[in-house]
Amino acid sequence: MRHFLLIGIVLISLFTSCKKVDTQQQENQLKAQKQTDSVFSILTKTWNFKIPYQSSALQAELADWKAWSTFKNDLSIKPISSISAFQKKSEVLSKSSLNLFNEIPANLNRPDIKSRITVLNTHLSNLEMYISLDKIPEKKILWLIPQINSALMSLVNQMEEVVVKKSIPKEVGEAEMLKALDTLRLANPTLIENQ
């Protein structure tokens, strides 16, 4: 009789402990769902990337840069269905920003432009990394999206500046003065002899 009583107590304790584990799992699932819903609503509200206005001269300069037009198109399409859609979109944006280094137009292939593309690429890679985490840091996302817009603004402004400087006509004798100030030519006498 004692054995039946002991087995009964063990079975009752196992049954009640299983119920406690089930309720804890349900509570954890509810917390995770609330956190996911919160992150999704934050992403939906803040996922607004803005390509700044580009002058017609800059647009003409950028017309043949396929990587730029692809990047702009990728940036303009906003995911709407789920967090996984945002994760895929951030991956696409990160790859697309890496492609900006390919075939940069000759007039824009300068260190100041490349450094701004690098900053933009870094921000987009960080966004991809944060969104792919199991627990997405909301504050980092809220901070990072305006930083991406700021990097876009900086890049376009620098490209505008390059185009404007290119359109300024040179004064008489300026080309000879620039040749004389060219430190690379002065450091390599064979260049001077060849010209």
Side-chain angles (χ1 to χ4, degrees):
M1 187 60 126
R2 285 185 172 170
H3 295 294
F4 290 121
L5 185 60
L6 186 59
I7 292 174
I9 292 173
V10 169
L11 287 176
I12 291 173
S13 65
L14 280 175
F15 182 69
T16 57
S17 68
C18 288
K19 281 188 176 183
K20 288 180 184 177
V21 169
D22 287 343
T23 57
Q24 285 178 343
Q25 286 177 347
Q26 288 174 349
E27 288 174 7
N28 289 341
Q29 287 176 348
L30 284 174
K31 286 180 185 178
Q33 185 62 39
K34 285 181 184 178
Q35 209 270 338
T36 302
D37 291 343
S38 170
V39 169
F40 181 73
S41 68
I42 286 172
L43 286 172
T44 303
K45 288 178 188 173
T46 60
W47 193 278
N48 294 318
F49 297 113
K50 300 170 191 139
I51 298 283
Y53 170 77
Q54 299 162 15
S55 67
S56 57
L58 180 59
Q59 288 176 0
E61 192 74 39
L62 298 174
D64 295 331
W65 193 9
K66 292 178 183 175
W68 177 255
S69 60
T70 302
F71 177 72
K72 281 181 20 179
N73 288 338
D74 289 341
L75 207 57
S76 66
I77 300 170
K78 181 178 180 178
I80 53 172
S81 60
S82 65
I83 287 184
S84 63
F86 283 102
Q87 290 169 339
K88 289 176 186 173
K89 185 55 142 181
S90 65
E91 184 179 339
V92 167
L93 287 175
S94 182
K95 287 179 183 176
S96 183
S97 69
L98 271 176
N99 290 335
L100 289 177
F101 288 106
N102 299 337
E103 302 173 10
I104 298 175
N107 292 330
L108 299 175
N109 195 356
R110 302 165 35 117
D112 50 353
I113 301 291
K114 287 181 179 181
S115 66
R116 283 164 176 79
I117 293 172
T118 302
V119 169
L120 178 62
N121 183 34
T122 301
H123 288 318
L124 288 169
S125 295
N126 286 341
L127 180 66
E128 177 188 4
M129 176 188 65
Y130 290 138
I131 288 181
S132 65
L133 295 173
D134 289 336
K135 185 176 180 187
I136 299 172
E138 300 169 13
K139 291 180 182 178
K140 297 278 188 183
I141 302 295
L142 288 172
W143 177 83
L144 201 52
I145 290 177
Q147 295 300 314
I148 293 169
N149 281 325
S150 176
L152 281 167
M153 177 71 84
S154 177
L155 175 61
V156 171
N157 286 344
Q158 189 62 37
M159 289 191 291
E160 288 283 359
E161 184 177 326
V162 168
V163 169
V164 167
K165 283 183 180 179
K166 178 186 160 201
S167 67
I168 298 173
K170 293 193 188 261
E171 292 184 16
V172 176
E174 186 176 356
E176 291 83 22
M177 183 188 74
L178 290 174
K179 277 185 181 179
L181 293 175
D182 188 3
T183 56
L184 178 63
R185 289 184 59 240
L186 293 176
N188 193 351
T190 58
L191 286 177
I192 295 174
E193 293 172 4
N194 293 337
Q195 292 184 357

